[in-house]
Amino acid sequence: MKTTSMDLRLYMIANRLSAARSKERKTQYIAELEHKVQTLQSEATTLSAQLTHLQNLNSELKFRLQAMEQKAQLRTALSEKLIEEVQRLRLAIGERSRSESNISKTSLNPKMFQQQLRISQLQQQQSNQNSTMGAYQISNNKIMLSRESTLIHT
């Protein structure tokens, strides 16, 4: 019987040691998990800040793209109007040269020269404008050019 009670005691001691090692492993595992949670939370905070920054940058770039598209449309419209004006002037010069032989075909209409000078100045102003003011300036310039064009054609 003594061997059985001794075996039982040894078994109990071994079982307690095993339980203590298991508890230690569990404690270490929980500590590792807690550390991992802190690391992931820190990473999530950093990524959230980066996401906010990138969303703001994306919005700014979209606004700048829209301003550039408007500027391109304005330039296209301006180019088309200038081409029309050049054709009109060529026709006008051609008609005058037939009726007035002493007028040079290459002379410019003073109003046309002033309009071209104004257009150059407006383009220079546009290129100097801040991107946040670009869309506002472009719409104002469209109105100004439309008025000038109307004045010249009348």
Side-chain angles (χ1 to χ4, degrees):
M1 262 193 152
K2 283 198 171 200
T3 56
T4 308
S5 72
M6 187 69 133
D7 288 340
L8 185 60
R9 282 186 183 172
L10 287 175
Y11 173 77
M12 289 175 66
I13 292 172
N15 194 19
R16 285 182 185 154
L17 289 174
S18 176
R21 285 191 304 268
S22 177
K23 187 176 180 180
E24 181 64 32
R25 282 193 308 270
K26 182 179 177 181
T27 303
Q28 187 177 11
Y29 178 71
I30 290 172
E32 288 174 4
L33 287 177
E34 287 172 347
H35 177 71
K36 196 172 191 177
V37 165
Q38 288 175 348
T39 302
L40 292 173
Q41 284 176 338
S42 175
E43 185 179 344
T45 301
T46 302
L47 291 174
S48 177
Q50 285 178 350
L51 176 63
T52 301
H53 172 72
L54 291 174
Q55 286 173 333
N56 290 339
L57 181 61
N58 189 33
S59 295
E60 180 184 338
L61 291 173
K62 282 181 180 179
F63 178 77
R64 288 172 65 187
L65 176 63
Q66 184 180 17
M68 290 174 142
E69 287 172 345
Q70 288 177 348
K71 191 174 183 179
Q73 288 174 353
L74 176 61
R75 283 187 177 165
T76 300
L78 181 61
S79 176
E80 289 171 358
K81 289 294 181 185
L82 286 174
I83 289 169
E84 289 173 10
E85 184 65 17
V86 167
Q87 289 172 351
R88 187 187 68 77
L89 288 173
R90 284 183 180 157
L91 286 174
I93 290 171
E95 289 173 10
R96 281 188 204 157
S97 66
R98 288 185 204 127
S99 62
E100 301 173 11
S101 59
N102 60 349
I103 297 176
S104 170
K105 288 185 179 181
T106 59
S107 64
L108 280 177
N109 180 341
K111 288 183 180 179
M112 179 62 180
F113 177 76
Q114 289 174 350
Q115 182 185 20
Q116 287 178 341
L117 180 62
R118 182 68 180 141
I119 289 168
S120 288
Q121 290 170 343
L122 290 173
Q123 286 176 340
Q124 183 63 34
Q125 286 175 358
Q126 284 178 350
S127 66
N128 293 337
Q129 288 296 320
N130 183 319
S131 67
T132 57
M133 293 299 293
Y136 175 76
Q137 185 69 30
I138 287 170
S139 65
N140 279 346
N141 289 344
K142 282 182 181 176
I143 293 168
M144 291 169 65
L145 287 173
S146 175
R147 287 180 185 159
E148 286 179 10
S149 179
T150 303
L151 288 175
I152 289 174
H153 289 299
T154 57

